[in-house]
Amino acid sequence: YKGEYYFDTPDVTFDKGNDYLIDLLSKNAPTSDSSSGYITVHFNVNCNQQLGEYGLIQMDRSYKATSFSYELIKHIFDEVSHLKNFPSLESNKNWFFYKDNHAFLMFKIGDGKIIDVCP
């Protein structure tokens, strides 16, 4: 079982911060899509800080299902899958047996460009 990112776990926020992520993902991002909304990539971070078991949610600004261009989604997935700076998930609680953790990055898209990232 994987612990959820918000469930009394150590901080699993990406070590280099959101500004780094925005800069990294904006570099060489495709410009063929002019849509706005949110792209959420969720994944597991294992005990070696490796990512896997990806999922994808695409929403417009009204939080309704939508689709962004294949090129933009592929670019985001490619960049996220190479991230290496997630903290260790070791817990100091005796009852906390999780070594893997479920996390997500939600990218705010404005006119086809990545303009913000959460959490």
Side-chain angles (χ1 to χ4, degrees):
Y1 182 76
K2 288 126 185 116
E4 294 294 330
Y5 76 95
Y6 53 81
F7 185 72
D8 199 23
T9 62
D11 184 7
V12 294
T13 305
F14 182 70
D15 283 346
K16 292 187 177 182
N18 287 354
D19 290 337
Y20 172 86
L21 287 171
I22 292 170
D23 291 343
L24 176 71
L25 272 81
S26 294
K27 211 179 290 182
N28 301 319
T31 57
S32 61
D33 195 329
S34 61
S35 302
S36 295
Y38 306 93
I39 298 172
T40 302
V41 178
H42 56 97
F43 47 88
N44 290 329
V45 182
N46 73 15
C47 59
N48 297 315
Q49 290 80 44
Q50 297 169 327
L51 307 186
E53 298 185 43
Y54 297 94
L56 175 69
I57 301 170
Q58 302 175 69
M59 301 175 285
D60 63 17
R61 289 272 173 99
S62 298
Y63 305 105
K64 294 186 180 357
T66 192
S67 294
F68 290 88
S69 71
Y70 170 81
E71 294 80 15
L72 181 58
I73 297 298
K74 182 177 182 333
H75 171 75
I76 290 173
F77 261 98
D78 287 348
E79 294 297 331
V80 168
S81 68
H82 289 99
L83 294 175
K84 301 290 184 206
N85 294 88
F86 286 89
S88 171
L89 301 174
E90 294 294 324
S91 174
N92 58 5
K93 300 192 184 307
N94 291 341
W95 55 268
F96 193 81
F97 303 108
Y98 309 128
K99 300 294 184 199
D100 295 354
N101 206 349
H102 190 76
F104 75 93
L105 293 169
M106 182 171 73
F107 299 94
K108 184 175 182 180
I109 310 298
D111 296 323
K113 296 183 177 107
I114 299 166
I115 57 176
D116 200 5
V117 62
C118 303

